[in-house]
Amino acid sequence: MAKKLITVTVNGRQEEKAVEPRTLLIHFLREDLNLTGAHIGCETSHCGACTVDVDGQSVKSCTHLAVQCDGSEVNTVEGLASKGVLHAVQEGFYKEHGLQCGFCTPGMLMRAQRFLQENPNPSEAEIRAGMAGNLCRCTGYQNIVKAVQYAARKLQEPATA
């Protein structure tokens, strides 16, 4: 199968790679770019373990083709922290014990950060609805909700210089 050259900006870094047209974004990230944070779970877009951001939208990378991202900006869990400082959602999951086994966590973090950009001051019901596309088999979700609430509060704090 003939490969197609794509250019994608991943976590702020431009990448140019030749990929087969059938290559899924999750495999491109994990195998070609060695970004293994996003996990392969159900491979049907139901679990959300593979969630990443593509051009400001949450995307399940297990059903999205890499060639669809040509010219796009992709952000993965590896790009959340900045200069060694955890993103507010990462801090929230840590402080509020929003994870157990950790398998769903990268997708949860990516969806949570996008959700909070879409809705910076959500109610508990809105958080549950906004995170519904990401499944967890361990936590019972209560601490995930607390983690997103924590991050929402933290992101609303005035920046300190």
Side-chain angles (χ1 to χ4, degrees), residues 21-143:
R22 66 183 178 184
T23 301
L24 294 170
L25 178 56
I26 187 71
H27 296 296
F28 174 71
L29 294 171
R30 292 178 64 83
E31 296 164 18
D32 293 341
L33 301 183
N34 202 30
L35 296 172
T36 58
H39 292 151
I40 301 169
C42 65
E43 298 183 284
T44 60
S45 78
H46 287 90
C47 76
C50 67
T51 302
V52 298
D53 255 28
V54 177
D55 294 331
Q57 301 268 326
S58 290
V59 168
K60 309 284 181 72
S61 62
C62 72
T63 57
H64 200 83
L65 297 171
V67 294
Q68 290 176 276
C69 295
D70 190 17
S72 293
E73 186 172 322
V74 176
N75 292 305
T76 70
V77 70
E78 289 91 346
L80 276 182
S82 177
K83 298 177 185 169
V85 177
L86 295 178
H87 186 280
V89 296
Q90 292 170 306
E91 186 177 318
F93 272 68
Y94 168 72
K95 298 258 184 184
E96 297 295 336
H97 311 286
L99 63 121
Q100 284 182 24
C101 82
F103 191 80
C104 70
T105 305
M108 288 283 185
L109 291 170
M110 292 308 295
R111 178 61 197 140
Q113 69 84 30
R114 173 57 49 206
F115 171 70
L116 290 173
Q117 289 181 352
E118 297 164 355
N119 185 349
N121 191 23
S123 67
E124 180 179 336
E126 289 170 328
I127 292 170
R128 289 183 183 278
M131 298 294 293
N134 291 70
L135 303 179
C136 176
R137 291 183 167 186
C138 300
T139 66
Y141 299 99
Q142 189 56 39
N143 288 347

